[in-house]
Amino acid sequence: MADSGFVEVDGGRLYYEVEGGGHPLLLIHGGLGSLRMWDANVPALAERFQVIRYDTRGFGRTETDDVEFTNRGDAAAVLDHLGAQSADVVGQSRGGVIAVDLAIDQPERVDKLVSVAGGIGGYEPELPEGTDVPTWDEMERLWESKDWDALAELEAQVWVDGWGQPQDRVDPEIRKTVKDWILANYRAELPEGKPQPLVPSAAQRLGELEIPLLVLIGLADEPGCVAAERHLASSVSGARAVEFPNVAHMIQLEEQQRFNELVLDFF
């Protein structure tokens, strides 16, 4: 049974849940869902760790006003609230960007880091000419018109199926679950606040990362994400990269057991 509550922060309150005991392990979810994204992984991780997860602003049960804030500051506030001086950190997708920013900005807070299909703040990959990339402009058009059903389906094609992959590549239950997360979040139209970037950006400061780093890459993921993760792994001394053939963006769901084993072995 998880302990839960809210962390009061400037202009908002962050919903969190904690399970297990031991060294703190902070899970930062991606932009396709909330802390519920980790439900399938927490039981195994909580056998060895105090697993901490929270909803970032704009997602789940977290609330925010239209104020300036930093996602890395919010992550640190959750640790502070729970009395954790530092933690091992796992960030998925957008959560990986936040985790890297936190490790650079407040290195004393992050003991080890796992980036799962994540990116790098300020990094723009140079893809080979002719690379088939998602229709970002169409996503923007659907978002502006609030065509949430069509947008959720397109996002599922990009992030769950894998761009250019058939819909039956992934378990249909995983596809439905993630698409439901996407749709619920868009329909909620939650305030997101005004997140402030790390300056200089993480892309300019990867050499400052001196902690153990594990990078998990799904080779059926969107090409820019694959490029960013490979760049992250190659830019940090001693980093280890593990590639998953025929797996897209949701590695922790598609390869749940292997993901859990890799994370536990690494930590």
Side-chain angles (χ1 to χ4, degrees), residues 27 41 78 89 137 160 176 186 189 208 211 262:
L27 306 179
N41 308 104
V78 173
V89 180
D137 289 344
V160 189
K176 180 182 184 303
Y186 280 131
E189 298 188 41
E208 297 178 28
I211 56 174
L262 283 167

Side-chain angles (χ1 to χ4, degrees), residues 23 72-73 75-76 79 84-89 98-113 198 205-212:
H23 188 69
R72 60 193 180 276
L79 295 180
Q85 293 185 345
S86 65
D88 294 327
V89 180
I98 296 170
V100 170
D101 282 357
L102 175 64
I104 291 173
D105 191 50
Q106 301 186 47
E108 72 282 359
R109 308 306 301 263
V110 182
D111 300 318
K112 296 181 181 180
L113 174 60
L198 181 65
R205 300 172 62 182
L206 293 179
E208 297 178 28
L209 284 175
E210 297 181 344
I211 56 174

Side-chain angles (χ1 to χ4, degrees), residues 14 36 66 97 120 132 135 149 166-167 189 194 240 245:
L14 311 173
R36 299 270 72 84
D66 190 26
V97 176
I120 307 163
D132 184 18
T135 52
D149 291 277
Q167 288 187 11
E189 298 188 41
K194 298 175 180 176
R240 178 189 175 200

Side-chain angles (χ1 to χ4, degrees), residues 231-245:
H231 179 72
L232 176 62
S234 66
S235 300
V236 177
S237 178
R240 178 189 175 200
V242 177
E243 297 185 343
F244 294 73

Side-chain angles (χ1 to χ4, degrees), residues 250-261:
M250 306 303 291
I251 298 171
Q252 80 279 10
L253 297 182
E254 283 199 57
E255 292 283 349
Q256 177 185 328
Q257 183 174 346
R258 187 181 178 205
F259 170 87
N260 292 344
E261 291 172 352

Side-chain angles (χ1 to χ4, degrees), residues 149-150 152-176 179 246 248 254:
D149 291 277
E153 173 56 31
L154 183 53
E155 293 228 31
Q157 291 174 16
V158 174
W159 304 117
V160 189
D161 304 338
W163 185 241
Q165 301 291 321
Q167 288 187 11
D168 61 359
R169 185 198 63 79
V170 70
D171 183 326
E173 284 302 311
I174 291 176
R175 190 182 201 278
K176 180 182 184 303
K179 184 178 175 181
N246 196 37
E254 283 199 57

